[in-house]
Amino acid sequence: MFFHCRIFTLVEKQDTMKDTSLTQFLLKKNYIKVKLKLTKTNHFEIKAKINGVFGKFILDTGASNTCIGIDKIDFFKVKSKASEIKAAGAGATDMETQISTKNTIKIGTWKNKKLKIVVFDLTHVNQALLNHNALPVDGIIGADILKKTKAIIDYNNKYVYFQLQA
């Protein structure tokens, strides 16, 4: 039993060393490190500030755009207008959307002042989360931000790295 514990400690130290090496390498490349939280549904949750207001979001590599729930328009001080684009995802299709432009978003120390946000009904997403005893979210951080920041997701250590603008 003692031997097994020592090996486990060595493995933990190696993972920590890998994380430290990755972090040091990426920090030299002008990246920042942001903590992620793994939810009961195996989604990564991330905190972000939109127009100065903190919210809770799912980090979703499969979502093309960053979104907020239509019920969060006032909460995030978002001005939106109707859009002809239909949204689909998580079992729902042909959902009406609105578009909001020129929003400010801040995640960690990364900031963007010209974010376009898709606004639509996220009830189905939050209901699915609640059905699995997970807490609802305010929106989704999508591939638009991940691409813009050249994001790197460290699944094992639960971090995402965003490259700051040069």
Side-chain angles (χ1 to χ4, degrees):
M1 187 68 131
F2 178 74
F3 181 70
H4 181 265
C5 290
R6 290 181 62 98
I7 290 175
F8 182 72
T9 303
L10 272 175
V11 170
E12 277 185 342
K13 285 181 182 176
Q14 285 178 345
D15 281 348
T16 303
M17 286 173 22
K18 286 179 191 172
D19 176 43
T20 302
S21 300
L22 176 65
T23 300
Q24 289 172 350
F25 174 78
L26 291 174
L27 291 177
K28 288 178 186 174
K29 298 289 183 185
N30 207 27
Y31 278 81
I32 61 155
K33 180 178 172 180
V34 179
K35 185 70 176 157
L36 299 171
K37 177 184 173 190
L38 190 64
T39 68
K40 294 178 182 180
T41 58
N42 274 335
H43 291 95
F44 276 132
E45 189 178 281
I46 188 168
K47 293 181 181 175
K49 214 180 215 188
I50 293 183
N51 298 329
V53 180
F54 272 108
K56 195 167 44 167
F57 297 82
I58 289 175
L59 185 70
D60 189 347
T61 60
S64 55
N65 293 89
T66 295
C67 314
I68 63 167
I70 199 160
D71 59 327
K72 299 296 180 178
I73 288 176
D74 292 335
F75 181 72
F76 286 116
K77 306 170 193 166
V78 167
K79 292 184 173 120
S80 62
K81 59 183 178 181
S83 169
E84 292 183 18
I85 299 169
K86 301 286 184 186
T93 58
D94 289 330
M95 293 179 287
E96 299 290 328
T97 65
Q98 296 178 20
I99 298 292
S100 178
T101 57
K102 299 179 184 172
N103 295 285
T104 300
I105 186 166
K106 187 173 181 190
I107 303 173
T109 57
W110 177 80
K111 189 173 184 177
N112 183 297
K113 294 181 181 181
K114 298 177 185 175
L115 179 69
K116 178 176 81 173
I117 297 174
V118 176
V119 180
F120 70 103
D121 187 356
L122 288 176
T123 303
H124 65 288
V125 171
N126 282 322
Q127 188 57 56
L129 291 170
L130 290 168
N131 290 346
H132 289 89
N133 298 317
L135 296 173
V137 294
D138 300 309
I140 298 166
I141 301 297
D144 55 340
I145 289 176
L146 298 174
K147 185 177 176 182
K148 182 182 296 274
T149 62
K150 299 178 183 176
I152 297 170
I153 300 171
D154 179 350
Y155 282 88
N156 190 47
N157 293 301
K158 300 179 190 83
Y159 289 102
V160 63
Y161 295 86
F162 292 146
Q163 191 173 44
L164 298 173
Q165 313 301 342

